[in-house]
Amino acid sequence: MKKYFRTLVVMSMTVLSCNYSSAAVDENFYIFLCFGQSNMEGAARPEAVDLESPGPRFLLMPAVDFPATDQRPARKMGEWCEASAPLCRPNTGLTPADWFGRTMVASLPENIKIGVIHVAIGGIGIKGFLPDSIPGYVKTAPQWMKGMLAAYDNNPYERLVTLAKKAQKDGVIKGILMHQGETDTGNPQWAGMVQQVYDRLCGDLQLKPEEVNLFAGNIVQAGGQGVCFACKKQIDELPQTIHTSQVVSSDDCTNGPDRLHFDAAGYRELGCRYAETVARHLGFEPKRPKNLPVTVTKIEVPADAVVAETAVPGRSFPKVDKERRAYFHIQAPQARKVIVDVCNKKYDMQPDGKGGFMAVTDPLPVGFHYYFMSIDGVQFIDPSSETFFGCNREAGGIEIPEGPEGDYYRPQQGVPQGQVRSIYYFAPHSTANGPQPAVGGEWRHALVYTPAEYETGKKRYPVLYLQHGMGEGETSWVKQGKMQHIMDNAIAKGEAVPMIVVMESGDIKAPFRGGNNQAGRSEYGASFYPVLLNDLIPYIDQHFRTKADRENRAMAGLSWGGHQTFDVVLQNLDKFAWLGTFSGAIFGLDVKTAYDGVFANADEFNKKVHYMYMNWGSDDFIKSGDIVRQLREMGIKVDSSESEGTGHEFLTWRRGLHEFIPHLFRK
């Protein structure tokens, strides 16, 4: 009787101990269920860094037994152990779950542990995880899959749930990670079946979907050449079916030669992205592990490369070599993806292993080009570049030098230098900031070039009003166009008469927002016309020594500035006698009726307009050749030229200005 009583006491204490263990769930032990097919299973060979244990904060509950190896002791199914590759089965490889766990540990407070339960089978369809479909699926499975299924007693779903229930005695399930879909590419029922698996897991484990989201990784893309690339769209659209699911991007994750599986670097990157998505969902700021390997692609900068003239003084980049390739560098140790965009071509910048990124471009056309950088999708200006207003905002810029043929726009020793003045003038007629004139008027900014001799006498000068293009500003002709050097050199050689040049924003800094773009009918930039005629010209004539009549007043512009030139000059021939356009954005022009038939009487027009000029680039998307032909057929005198080998760019417009100014103010 006493023996029976002692046995009963021991049994009671055991029950109490089990109940205590069940009650003592660690709320700071976050558990994640991982399932899927081969890319969750892991197809890349682990490297030394993957085999190292990250420590006791990242744990694995194995779904199968693992024998001991030189790198680690034996693992017992259902018993927590420190996690290191491989996680799935003894003969599998690196998986996204490896660096998911490591990144979670790096991102979350030190009192939080991460645990994973990992069940995956290469090639398995989503039906292989549907409890009601599994028996039939196992019967028809290919021979090569049968051993993997057998490792989970031919029921991978049941193995995952059984271990998850055991793990719930120790911690809290916080999420479900899935990488599956390749086998079901193009299956319209796939998303619905994923929902069934997810709903069943939540039901069997008593999970609330709003608290335990499904995180689905996308497939190998291989630059659009991935074997299952067509599956990307159906995975991207999964949240439309499961509102508590999130898709983890695989953009630019590297892959193996089969274009079906990621390589080791790709698995690490995808795993980090899983963790970053989950960490943010849980309210933590993600951090990458310090020992995450960095793929280094060394870019050699040739000895002949020189720092671009557009670089900030004292910086060593960007550089340009004799083949006209540009080299860019930026220090961004926390960046994941860095891109440089030059001439609308994007180049991935490569990590240098020291917290920096570098890129080299294809050979670039000579001349000036805007460029931008972006870090993890956020666009910015290269800190090593001077800034230039273009593309409707401040931008980086790089000059690819011409040879001696470009000396006409470079400052030359012995050539007297004019001045470029920054002025502010009051404009009562400005409507740039609204449909009505500003209350009491507004102050506006302009730049004014005066020739070198202006300071030494009392002579009066003719004036050229020179406009930039859409999305640029009043500084563009000076900084990007080298206008002052073109003027200085041409005047010094006697090729152009000394003149004043005025540059204003023209109300076209902001983007074009639609509407009519036909010459004479567009509202974009039209708010500048009364300002120019009623405010700016009178101000210039009052504050500078000008010849204030139409015979000594010209207007010209590039791109949309050419559009404005046509609109202003051709409707105000009492104020201008000279005009020019460079890649002029002049659309919908009926030369017979435009501007109240200004071209209809060629003799009268040719008497009033002393010189008319139009240029464009041979590779330009805006050309004026057809307009020139039509005007000449009507008897209008118009000079023109095509810039060989250039497009819609400042080298075209520098050449145009250089050819235009020798004809001005000569009779």
Side-chain angles (χ1 to χ4, degrees):
M1 185 71 182
K2 289 181 179 180
K3 182 177 180 182
Y4 172 78
F5 180 77
R6 284 197 300 269
T7 302
L8 185 60
V9 170
V10 171
M11 290 176 64
S12 299
M13 291 178 66
T14 302
V15 171
L16 288 171
S17 176
C18 290
N19 288 338
Y20 175 80
S21 175
S22 176
V25 172
D26 186 354
E27 297 291 334
N28 290 322
F29 185 17
Y30 291 2
I31 298 167
F32 297 86
L33 311 183
C34 307
F35 78 97
Q37 57 185 103
S38 58
N39 272 315
M40 181 58 81
E41 182 183 63
R45 176 179 295 179
E47 298 172 1
V49 69
D50 310 305
L51 299 172
E52 297 170 0
S53 170
R57 287 186 59 209
F58 178 28
L59 302 178
L60 168 72
M61 179 179 280
V64 298
D65 290 334
F66 283 67
T69 68
D70 293 339
Q71 286 82 24
R72 52 169 172 72
R75 296 172 173 174
K76 186 72 174 175
M77 181 178 71
E79 295 182 3
W80 292 110
C81 62
E82 292 186 5
S84 61
L87 301 182
C88 188
R89 297 188 305 280
N91 59 343
T92 57
L94 191 63
T95 162
D98 283 285
W99 286 86
F100 162 79
R102 294 166 188 258
T103 306
M104 289 293 287
V105 165
S107 303
L108 273 57
E110 292 186 0
N111 64 321
I112 296 177
K113 295 186 299 183
I114 303 298
V116 295
I117 301 171
H118 200 284
V119 175
I121 295 175
I124 194 169
I126 193 62
K127 283 187 175 181
F129 290 98
L130 274 172
D132 297 335
S133 302
I134 289 172
Y137 191 92
V138 171
K139 287 181 181 178
T140 60
Q143 189 62 39
W144 54 264
M145 191 186 291
K146 291 188 180 296
M148 294 184 281
L149 286 165
Y152 303 114
D153 292 332
N154 290 320
N155 196 327
Y157 176 86
E158 184 63 28
R159 179 65 55 86
L160 184 63
V161 168
T162 299
L163 295 180
K165 288 180 177 179
K166 183 177 182 181
Q168 283 180 306
K169 298 176 182 178
D170 303 315
V172 181
I173 296 176
K174 289 288 188 176
I176 300 171
L177 278 55
M178 180 186 79
H179 198 288
Q180 198 280 334
E182 294 97 328
T183 296
D184 295 289
T185 299
N187 183 351
Q189 298 177 328
W190 176 79
M193 289 189 286
V194 173
Q195 183 172 29
Q196 291 180 53
V197 175
Y198 177 60
D199 290 346
R200 187 67 177 265
L201 282 170
C202 290
D204 288 345
L205 298 172
Q206 298 182 28
L207 306 173
K208 296 180 180 178
E210 287 74 19
E211 297 177 358
V212 182
N213 280 196
L214 175 68
F215 300 90
N218 224 310
I219 46 80
V220 165
Q221 297 187 43
Q225 301 300 311
V227 173
C228 298
F229 184 75
C231 185
K232 180 180 184 298
K233 185 174 183 291
Q234 71 185 40
I235 296 175
D236 282 336
E237 294 176 351
L238 185 61
Q240 297 177 17
T241 301
I242 306 174
H243 76 278
T244 52
S245 68
Q246 297 186 51
V247 175
V248 179
S249 169
S250 63
D251 290 357
D252 301 312
C253 287
T254 52
N255 55 273
D258 62 1
R259 293 181 289 112
L260 182 62
H261 299 101
F262 299 99
D263 60 12
Y267 282 118
R268 294 187 193 107
E269 177 62 24
L270 187 62
C272 289
R273 294 183 187 181
Y274 267 105
E276 288 164 347
T277 303
V278 172
R280 290 191 182 99
H281 175 71
L282 296 176
F284 299 98
E285 184 63 30
K287 298 177 184 177
R288 294 210 165 189
K290 293 181 179 179
N291 66 334
L292 177 65
V294 175
T295 303
V296 178
T297 303
K298 188 170 179 58
I299 296 176
E300 298 289 345
V301 181
D304 63 27
V306 297
V307 177
E309 66 176 78
T310 44
V312 171
R315 298 296 182 103
S316 54
F317 286 91
K319 290 182 176 178
V320 182
D321 68 16
K322 65 179 181 180
E323 303 298 327
R324 306 195 314 275
R325 292 179 300 227
Y327 298 81
F328 299 92
H329 178 271
I330 189 167
Q331 201 69 18
Q334 300 300 318
R336 190 173 71 194
K337 183 177 180 63
V338 186
I339 292 173
V340 60
D341 184 342
V342 189
C343 300
N344 293 318
K345 182 169 183 178
K346 295 179 173 61
Y347 298 87
D348 289 330
M349 299 187 73
Q350 304 299 322
D352 62 9
K354 301 176 182 178
F357 289 78
M358 284 194 67
V360 58
T361 69
D362 299 330
L364 298 171
V366 294
F368 175 86
H369 308 288
Y370 298 112
Y371 77 93
F372 296 94
M373 288 183 174
S374 68
I375 291 181
D376 299 337
V378 179
Q379 192 182 73
F380 64 98
I381 304 170
D382 179 6
S384 294
S385 170
E386 294 279 10
T387 56
F388 305 85
F389 194 90
C391 310
N392 308 113
R393 53 166 290 186
E394 294 291 349
I398 187 166
E399 183 80 24
I400 307 300
E402 283 193 285
E405 68 275 16
D407 285 347
Y408 71 91
Y409 58 75
R410 299 185 181 111
Q412 303 294 322
Q413 291 217 2
V415 171
Q417 305 295 304
Q419 294 185 10
V420 177
R421 307 167 188 232
S422 173
I423 66 164
Y424 287 87
Y425 69 100
F426 191 69
H429 295 84
S430 179
T431 59
N433 295 319
Q436 301 298 324
V439 177
E442 72 170 359
W443 290 93
R444 295 177 64 109
H445 182 233
L447 297 182
V448 180
Y449 166 84
T450 54
E453 65 179 49
Y454 184 87
E455 307 303 318
T456 60
K458 297 182 179 179
K459 178 180 173 181
R460 291 188 174 273
Y461 295 87
V463 184
L464 167 63
Y465 289 86
L466 185 62
Q467 290 305 117
H468 56 84
M470 181 185 297
E472 293 166 339
E474 63 271 25
T475 62
S476 299
W477 263 113
V478 173
K479 296 188 71 174
Q480 293 98 292
K482 313 282 190 183
M483 176 281 310
Q484 68 277 33
H485 305 315
I486 295 173
M487 297 300 304
D488 288 339
N489 293 332
I491 291 170
K493 290 182 178 181
E495 295 175 351
V497 302
M499 67 185 78
I500 293 171
V501 183
V502 180
M503 294 148 285
E504 222 266 22
S505 73
D507 295 344
I508 56 174
K509 281 185 171 183
F512 180 70
R513 293 185 175 87
N516 196 330
N517 70 350
Q518 293 186 351
R521 298 184 179 89
S522 173
E523 294 182 2
Y524 180 67
S527 57
F528 174 59
Y529 304 162
V531 174
L532 171 66
L533 298 171
N534 301 309
D535 300 324
L536 181 56
I537 290 176
Y539 178 90
I540 295 298
D541 288 341
Q542 182 180 355
H543 291 82
F544 292 84
R545 299 196 310 275
T546 67
K547 294 180 177 180
D549 57 58
R550 71 174 299 276
E551 298 294 321
N552 291 285
R553 192 177 295 125
M555 185 172 180
L558 68 89
S559 193
W560 200 266
H563 179 116
Q564 292 182 307
T565 297
F566 259 46
D567 281 0
V568 171
V569 174
L570 297 177
Q571 297 182 91
N572 296 278
L573 288 177
D574 60 323
K575 295 180 175 64
F576 298 89
W578 319 77
L579 79 153
T581 68
F582 319 115
S583 303
I586 302 162
F587 309 114
L589 185 74
D590 182 345
V591 296
K592 296 180 181 179
T593 61
Y595 303 109
D596 296 325
V598 70
F599 300 119
N601 189 328
D603 290 340
E604 182 179 347
F605 181 87
N606 293 335
K607 287 178 183 178
K608 289 184 177 179
V609 177
H610 301 318
Y611 184 70
M612 179 177 179
Y613 171 85
M614 306 182 80
N615 102 310
W616 58 91
S618 62
D619 301 329
D620 213 322
F621 65 86
I622 296 180
K623 297 187 178 184
S624 302
D626 190 53
I627 296 175
V628 169
R629 177 186 59 78
Q630 293 180 54
L631 290 172
R632 286 174 177 167
E633 288 176 353
M634 294 185 67
I636 301 297
K637 293 180 181 179
V638 54
D639 202 359
S640 67
S641 68
E642 183 174 87
S643 172
E644 184 60 36
T646 61
H648 205 70
E649 58 185 281
F650 265 100
L651 188 52
T652 297
W653 309 324
R654 291 174 188 170
R655 291 173 178 176
L657 181 64
H658 185 228
E659 293 179 4
F660 176 57
I661 57 175
H663 301 275
L664 293 182
F665 312 121
R666 300 182 189 271
K667 298 179 183 178

